[in-house]
Amino acid sequence: VKKSSDDLQDLGRFSEPALLILISLAEGPKHGYAMTQDIQQVSGQQLGPGTLYGAITRLEAKKWIEPVPSNDRRRPYKLTASGHRVLKHRLDSIKAMAKIATSRLATS
Amino acid sequence: VTPQSLLRLYPRKWRERYGEEFVALLEQTGATPGQVMDIVRAAAKERLLPATGDWMFGWGYIAGTLVVGSLIALAANVAAFAIHARYGHLPSFNSTFSEGQPVVAYSPAIVSMLFAIGSLQWLVMLRALLSGGQFYFSARWVKVSGIEAMVWAAVIAATATADQLRMFATFGDAGFPSYSRVEIFEFSWPQCITLCLWLAMSTTRYWDAVVAARERAKVRQQVPIPPGGFLGLGPGAGA
């Protein structure tokens, strides 16, 4: 089964952190530290620096996020159009799964 | 542990691109033991599976695989000979036939070649494990499995015992081995360990492949596929 190259699951261990980063950047450009703070507030998860930058590296390689020019050493990142699309579809699939799970819970 | 020392764990290209901002982040967050472990793990993955570049053919990747793979292969051989020395004859590195002793290698050149090929295979297998199942059931996976099988077979051949080599050398004269020669096919300890490793790793990979395939099948059954697929790139997109 050939998978689409535009799939968050392609990022392996980094797919969940990558999703959290995309959700964080959906609000607007952020640097690494701001992302970890936001992700902790939103999801309760504390991403380690290695995991955070592992996911950022892969997201940038996929061109789903891109750096914003800045004089600060802490480089901010923003969502690209394709990153926006990937996030939207990933959320749609999660919603579809949640809908099925909810209906199954209701009938069990 | 300083941020700069942690940064050195990463490959040079990664450091050049992300080093400054990564250090800035570490200066802000500090480095707890848990974070250090997280960085060590992520840096190891970055060395094995760089997110950018043609990792399979990069010199850095090949050099890394040779070093790591050689260390693993060396450890496996040391263990094999430790067990062999405990339970059987003394191991010998001679390339000449000597009664009752295993011929470990034909020549240093062949050993080096086996280490090199074997090292790459070890790292390809590590990559397969680290990639969380994406590698399975692809044409490349099948090719890798085939090459791996040849490498393991080569390792077994390289650790052939004197009796086994003599049997092959006289195969044409003696014809098919008689029942009295069955003992010739007994494996030496290095060969037993090689076979066990081969069996264990192959079984694990095939088992993982089956589990991953079942999981994918379950997801396909449970989640209705929207027009154009989940990413909106397939047939019916925009419908």
Side-chain angles (χ1 to χ4, degrees):
Chain A
V1 178
K2 186 165 180 158
K3 293 166 70 179
S4 164
S5 61
D6 272 8
D7 193 336
L8 268 173
Q9 299 303 318
D10 284 346
L11 303 183
R13 185 173 80 82
F14 292 108
S15 57
E16 193 187 342
L19 175 63
L20 294 171
I21 289 170
L22 292 180
I23 291 170
S24 178
L25 294 183
E27 191 187 39
K30 290 185 185 71
H31 54 66
Y33 183 71
M35 280 185 231
T36 57
Q37 297 296 303
D38 183 54
I39 288 168
Q40 186 161 27
Q41 279 183 356
V42 171
S43 70
Q45 290 188 48
Q46 176 75 49
L47 291 189
T51 303
L52 177 76
Y53 266 88
I56 286 176
T57 306
R58 282 155 181 78
L59 286 170
E60 196 188 357
K62 291 269 190 184
K63 300 191 186 327
W64 293 342
I65 64 172
E66 62 186 10
V68 178
S70 165
N71 292 326
D72 194 346
R73 287 170 65 211
R74 303 174 305 171
R75 196 193 311 248
Y77 290 87
K78 68 173 183 180
L79 271 187
T80 63
S82 59
H84 191 277
R85 192 176 66 237
V86 167
L87 175 62
K88 184 176 182 312
H89 286 287
R90 180 67 184 147
L91 295 178
D92 285 346
S93 72
I94 290 172
K95 267 190 267 183
M97 275 193 284
K99 192 176 171 187
I100 291 168
T102 307
S103 66
R104 288 185 178 182
L105 274 177
T107 55
S108 64
Chain B
V1 184
T2 62
Q4 280 75 16
S5 62
L6 290 170
L7 179 63
R8 276 195 287 274
L9 296 173
Y10 283 89
R12 182 176 53 83
K13 276 189 178 173
W14 193 94
R15 293 199 302 265
E16 287 171 359
R17 168 63 186 82
Y18 295 100
E20 193 178 6
E21 55 190 288
F22 187 66
V23 167
L25 174 68
L26 291 180
E27 286 171 354
Q28 204 160 5
T29 62
T32 64
Q35 285 176 329
V36 170
M37 287 306 297
D38 178 67
I39 291 167
V40 168
R41 197 168 55 162
K45 181 151 188 174
E46 194 58 40
R47 283 189 179 276
L48 288 168
L49 297 167
T52 55
D54 195 358
W55 63 270
M56 182 60 91
F57 300 105
W59 286 111
Y61 173 78
I62 291 173
T65 57
L66 289 178
V67 171
V68 177
S70 297
L71 288 175
I72 293 170
L74 188 64
N77 278 276
V78 167
F81 279 95
I83 292 170
H84 189 271
R86 168 72 180 79
Y87 292 102
H89 307 286
L90 286 174
S92 165
F93 280 94
N94 294 331
S95 60
T96 53
F97 294 0
S98 53
E99 199 63 45
Q101 290 188 337
V103 176
V104 176
Y106 303 113
S107 72
I110 291 180
V111 174
S112 306
M113 189 184 69
L114 283 172
F115 268 99
I117 299 171
S119 302
L120 284 169
Q121 291 310 309
W122 272 99
L123 267 291
V124 168
M125 282 186 275
L126 268 181
R127 181 181 186 272
L129 292 171
L130 286 171
S131 64
Q134 301 160 33
F135 213 53
Y136 301 131
F137 290 146
S138 65
R140 174 185 252 175
W141 186 85
V142 174
K143 281 182 200 166
V144 166
S145 297
I147 294 169
E148 182 201 317
M150 286 189 282
V151 170
W152 285 116
V155 171
I156 290 171
T159 54
T161 61
D163 282 343
Q164 289 170 335
L165 286 178
R166 186 177 297 111
M167 186 267 159
F168 281 109
T170 58
F171 190 78
D173 303 331
F176 287 99
S178 64
Y179 285 109
S180 64
R181 289 188 169 191
V182 165
E183 71 274 10
I184 287 170
F185 291 99
E186 286 179 354
F187 290 112
S188 64
W189 277 106
Q191 290 172 328
C192 285
I193 288 178
T194 303
L195 283 170
C196 288
L197 279 173
W198 186 359
L199 188 66
M201 295 184 79
S202 311
T203 308
T204 306
R205 287 198 301 144
Y206 279 99
W207 176 253
D208 284 351
V210 170
V211 170
R214 282 183 180 166
E215 288 302 315
R216 282 200 294 270
K218 269 188 206 168
V219 170
R220 279 199 299 275
Q221 282 172 1
Q222 289 174 0
V223 181
I225 300 173
F230 291 117
L231 298 173
L233 302 172

